Amino acid sequence: MQTLYDAMWRELGLDMEAHAGLLDFLGKAYRDIFLPQPNRPKAMGYFDFVVSEIHGLRVKELLEAKAAGKKVIATFCVFVPEEVVLAAGGVAIGLCGGAEVGFDKAEKHLPQNTCALIKSFFGFKLARLCPYIEVADLVVGETTCDGKKKAYEVFGELAPVHVMELPQCKGPADRSLWRSELGKFVGILEDLTGRQITAENLRGGIATVNAKRAALNRLAALRAADPAPISGLDALLINQISFYDDPARFTSSVNALCDELDERVAAGTGVAPKGTTRLIVSGSPMAIPNWKVPLAAETSGAVIVGEESCVGSRNSRDLVDGSPEDLGGLLDSLAARTLKIECACFSPNPERLDTVQSMARVLKADGVIHYNLLFCTPYAAESFQAKKALEKSGIPLLRLETDYSQDFGQVKNRVEAFVEMVGDRE
Ligand code: BJ8
């Protein structure tokens, strides 16, 4: 079937047949998973629309931005600061990486036992299925886990890549290394865009991204209510969309949704009855269309009320202090904020365990699903510490390891048993 965007996709060099198949699959999955949810907030209509245009309208907007002289910067990690991209007059987008596509091609460049997220972003590029990567002027990577840092070396042969060196610890020398990497990033973007980054335009970038984070935090806080005013599936979707939608439009849409949720909370209306088993998901990030775990939980009699994840609270919790007057001070603030992120790539990383426990308390969670992408060693290793720490506080934790394969049945069985066990304790 011919679509509005065929000419655009063809020009971007996508594999038209495979891409049509991917969009069909995605559209069907979305219709089956999201639309039948009971009592969805009306304001989810905006996000339904964004997903329906996932490779359409937003890509067209990016091409228009490029025609107007802007640069598109593609990222894969919350350590790459969108604020600096905005200050340079650019647009930041997260890349496709949540589906099992092109793995056969990716495995010609990467070991088979690489996590699905990494294989997916390679697969999308090699199978010519991601319009975002084709639009991007620069991919910015980071030295987080071993899988990613080695993958970027190879990815540099496929697209222009800049890698930021992220330290593995958070001592004074590590902080100064990261601060200098931010300074280097400023120079790279100035060269690419021809626009000088000043205190004024960086403060503007910080304000835009802070507003986006504040809206996401408002949404996160509303989920403490019982009954939960929004499903975990919808909340995860919103966090996923935050990586590629226009930031100002996204922020106002999240705030509009929160206005509706305020009313729901006041009226005691929710997506599941009061007293439904409440769970938090913690661990590796979930990129679109990775919806397996919340789907399993929310079709097993539980509701997800929080995500301790980079597609979740790790991305939004802390704001950047935009008060320093000069560029150096603002970059210091930015560096300080990013180094609060509790990625399992840091060693040691005890703050993450504190965060999971405090989220469980604040959101009144009955249990935690520790979600781990297969072959993601940093989060797999921390899952043992997380289990010990949470069980000490009386909160059960399920260690769940999966990938992007068709194992929904097994995942569902394990989650169902966990929900039943947690429910029996209440
Ligand atoms: S700050 S979590 S976004 S690195 S799942 S590729 S860790 S093997 S994505 Fe991440 Fe930044 Fe950290 Fe967040 Fe490696 Fe694990 Fe794969 Fe991962």
Side-chain angles (χ1 to χ4, degrees):
M1 192 182 65
Q2 180 97 6
T3 82
L4 246 183
Y5 302 110
D6 275 3
M8 176 178 82
W9 293 328
R10 200 167 290 117
E11 215 155 291
L12 288 172
L14 299 193
D15 176 334
M16 295 298 285
E17 205 184 322
H19 185 249
L22 174 73
L23 289 190
D24 275 354
F25 165 80
L26 235 173
K28 184 174 177 333
Y30 194 79
R31 282 190 300 278
D32 291 350
I33 295 170
F34 283 85
L35 303 187
Q37 292 179 93
N39 209 12
R40 279 182 98 208
K42 286 197 183 51
M44 282 309 296
Y46 170 75
F47 303 98
D48 290 341
F49 172 72
V50 173
V51 175
S52 73
E53 288 285 338
I54 191 163
H55 282 184
L57 188 58
R58 185 64 181 138
V59 177
K60 187 167 166 274
E61 287 177 349
L62 294 176
L63 288 168
E64 285 163 2
K66 279 167 73 97
K70 294 184 173 226
K71 299 290 180 193
V72 175
I73 312 300
T75 66
F76 240 117
C77 177
V78 294
F79 275 99
V80 181
E82 183 178 3
E83 295 87 340
V84 179
V85 176
L86 294 177
V91 187
I93 44 152
L95 287 175
C96 299
E100 190 172 292
V101 295
F103 277 24
D104 52 332
K105 293 182 174 64
E107 283 170 10
K108 294 202 171 97
H109 298 261
L110 299 168
Q112 209 181 353
N113 56 355
T114 300
C115 91
L117 192 78
I118 297 173
K119 274 200 265 187
S120 180
F121 89 78
F122 260 76
F124 267 103
K125 169 69 183 162
L126 294 167
R128 297 187 287 122
L129 287 170
C130 174
Y132 292 99
I133 185 74
E134 304 309 330
V135 171
D137 295 288
L138 180 69
V139 175
V140 183
E142 13 55 53
T143 56
T144 44
C145 66
D146 288 352
K148 270 210 209 159
K149 67 186 162 213
K150 298 312 285 181
Y152 288 124
E153 289 175 20
V154 187
F155 206 73
E157 294 163 16
L158 307 172
V161 171
H162 168 69
V163 178
M164 298 182 77
E165 185 176 350
L166 185 78
Q168 309 283 285
C169 304
K170 293 184 180 175
D174 308 297
R175 287 176 187 278
S176 96
L177 165 67
W178 181 238
R179 173 62 179 78
S180 83
E181 283 296 295
L182 283 184
K184 216 191 278 173
F185 185 49
V186 165
I188 299 261
L189 287 192
E190 285 181 334
D191 288 349
L192 181 72
T193 61
R195 174 171 158 154
Q196 199 194 346
I197 294 179
T198 61
E200 199 188 347
N201 55 32
L202 182 55
R203 200 171 296 111
I206 289 173
T208 302
V209 184
N210 274 352
K212 173 159 81 166
R213 294 202 180 102
L216 287 167
N217 290 339
R218 185 179 165 203
L219 172 64
L222 281 159
R223 296 166 74 195
D226 187 11
I230 186 167
S231 68
L233 270 166
D234 279 336
L236 171 64
L237 180 78
I238 292 166
N239 277 288
Q240 290 171 329
I241 289 174
S242 74
F243 287 91
Y244 73 93
D245 197 8
D246 172 77
R249 182 176 61 207
F250 174 84
T251 301
S252 70
S253 304
V254 175
N255 279 321
L257 169 73
C258 290
D259 292 343
E260 186 182 344
L261 299 190
D262 275 336
E263 288 169 21
R264 285 183 158 218
V265 172
T269 313
V271 290
K274 191 174 166 65
T276 297
T277 298
R278 301 163 66 84
L279 301 177
I280 281 178
V281 178
S282 169
S284 313
M286 296 173 182
I288 282 189
N290 182 2
W291 303 309
K292 203 184 271 187
V293 172
L295 178 65
E298 296 190 335
T299 52
S300 299
V303 63
I304 304 284
V305 293
E307 297 78 24
E308 189 282 313
S309 165
C310 286
V311 185
S313 67
R314 252 181 260 141
N315 180 38
S316 60
R317 191 192 56 205
D318 299 304
L319 305 191
V320 178
D321 173 11
S323 65
E325 303 257 305
D326 62 319
L327 182 63
L330 289 168
L331 288 170
D332 289 345
S333 291
L334 207 50
R337 185 258 158 202
T338 33
L339 281 182
K340 286 185 190 154
I341 297 170
E342 300 126 335
C343 175
C345 297
F346 286 99
S347 175
N349 190 31
E351 302 91 342
R352 181 168 162 248
L353 304 183
D354 297 341
T355 299
V356 189
Q357 292 184 81
S358 97
M359 279 179 72
R361 212 171 32 249
V362 172
L363 297 168
K364 303 176 207 87
D366 304 300
V368 174
I369 298 179
H370 194 283
Y371 164 78
N372 213 96
L373 266 179
L374 196 59
F375 308 124
C376 172
T377 309
Y379 285 93
E382 285 195 0
S383 70
F384 292 92
Q385 299 160 349
K387 192 170 173 70
K388 243 193 258 165
L390 281 156
E391 288 184 350
K392 233 189 235 166
S393 331
I395 302 164
L397 178 142
L398 171 70
R399 294 176 56 234
L400 187 69
E401 202 161 47
T402 175
D403 53 16
Y404 295 168
S405 64
Q406 304 298 317
D407 64 347
F408 182 72
Q410 286 147 269
V411 168
K412 167 106 170 133
N413 284 344
R414 292 203 56 210
V415 170
E416 219 164 42
F418 182 65
V419 172
E420 219 176 278
M421 184 274 282
V422 171
D424 285 348
R425 290 162 40 106
E426 288 165 27

